[in-house]
Amino acid sequence: LAAVSRFAGRSMLRWLDLIWAPVFIFGVYLIHPVLGFVAIGATALLVLMGVLQDRTTSPSRRAASAARRDGGELVRTLDRNRESVGGLQMGENLTAQWRRKETGRLVERQTTDARGDMFRTLMGGLGQYMRIGLLAVGVWLVVLDQISLGSIFAARVMAGFGFRLVEGAVRNWRGTREARDAYVRLVKHLSPADAAPVSVLKGIETAPMVLDSVGHRYPYQRNSLFRRL
């Protein structure tokens, strides 16, 4: 539910703005097809970088999440059984185990951040190279007397708008994918389960109910409030 809420409050706006990106790129194409192909090529490379970023950072993100869950479960287990841990002198070994898990989590997190920074730098550089390429190709077309000087700047501005819209959607691709998967799980969880057929003997409603050996204990509590009633 939190992933779906984050998508609805932040990422969805990026995808709604994305519908205007083809309009700007098509405007560049109308100015001159060669300029349009330059903008389309840069946009295609941007989408490819986004896919590669998600593919290359997914393993380290999953490993960091697994290490965080294992570390948290270990801490909760230590808290529930602290008397046994202290009595059997297992504290040092379990602490070392927790430290190894946290160290692995930090390493995977650093790997994810480093790869993400690399792809963000590449995406920013690709935008700059696209603008430089549009300017160079535009000057060449002006020399050939196919477009005017003002058309270069118009194409550059429209291509920049389209590129930024696509870049915003690409940067939010991971959140969108996580929200989609979370929505599927949420729908599956809320859907009514198929009732399994149960055979009930006749007159079972009037039969006496016997409660024997009943006990109760709160979650994470070692001792029961009552047992074998």
Side-chain angles (χ1 to χ4, degrees), residues 7-229:
F7 170 76
R10 183 174 54 189
S11 301
M12 187 172 64
L13 298 177
R14 299 288 187 179
W15 290 98
L16 291 176
D17 292 338
L18 183 63
I19 61 177
W20 295 103
V23 176
F24 288 114
I25 295 176
F26 183 68
V28 178
Y29 182 85
L30 292 179
I31 293 175
H32 198 279
V34 177
L35 297 176
F37 286 133
V38 173
I40 293 173
T43 305
L45 287 176
L46 177 64
V47 174
L48 179 61
M49 286 183 182
V51 174
L52 290 176
Q53 179 183 6
D54 184 68
R55 294 289 181 84
T56 55
T57 56
S58 291
S60 56
R61 284 198 307 268
R62 287 194 295 267
S65 299
R68 184 178 64 251
R69 289 193 301 269
D70 293 342
E73 182 62 27
L74 181 61
V75 171
R76 288 190 293 271
T77 302
L78 289 174
D79 183 64
R80 290 195 301 266
N81 303 279
R82 50 182 177 271
E83 291 85 358
S84 300
V85 172
L88 298 176
Q89 298 181 354
M90 296 186 299
E92 184 176 354
N93 293 333
L94 293 176
T95 301
Q97 182 180 355
W98 175 84
R99 187 179 294 111
R100 287 194 299 270
K101 292 182 181 297
E102 284 298 304
T103 301
R105 183 183 68 83
L106 292 176
V107 170
E108 297 295 342
R109 181 65 181 271
Q110 290 174 355
T111 302
T112 302
D113 293 341
R115 291 175 180 175
D117 292 339
M118 179 188 69
F119 277 101
R120 281 191 291 270
T121 302
L122 290 175
M123 290 178 185
L126 179 61
Q128 295 295 330
Y129 281 119
M130 182 196 69
R131 296 177 180 89
I132 295 173
L134 288 173
L135 187 61
V137 174
V139 170
W140 174 65
L141 293 174
V142 168
V143 173
L144 296 179
D145 199 20
Q146 295 188 13
I147 61 173
S148 63
L149 189 61
S151 299
I152 301 176
F153 295 99
R156 189 171 180 270
V157 170
M158 286 191 294
F161 278 130
F163 187 88
R164 282 195 294 271
L165 293 176
V166 176
E167 184 179 9
V170 168
R171 290 182 185 274
N172 288 274
W173 166 249
R174 180 171 64 88
T176 303
R177 179 176 54 80
E178 292 176 352
R180 181 197 61 192
D181 297 339
Y183 178 76
V184 172
R185 293 193 301 269
L186 187 62
V187 171
K188 184 178 180 180
H189 178 72
L190 296 178
S191 61
D194 296 333
V198 179
S199 60
V200 180
L201 298 177
K202 293 182 179 181
I204 194 67
E205 297 86 355
T206 59
M209 182 175 63
V210 178
L211 299 178
D212 188 18
S213 298
V214 179
H216 176 72
R217 183 181 63 183
Y218 287 108
Y220 307 118
Q221 187 179 10
R222 298 187 59 189
N223 299 323
S224 301
L225 292 179
F226 53 86
R227 299 176 59 187
R228 297 180 181 178
L229 294 180

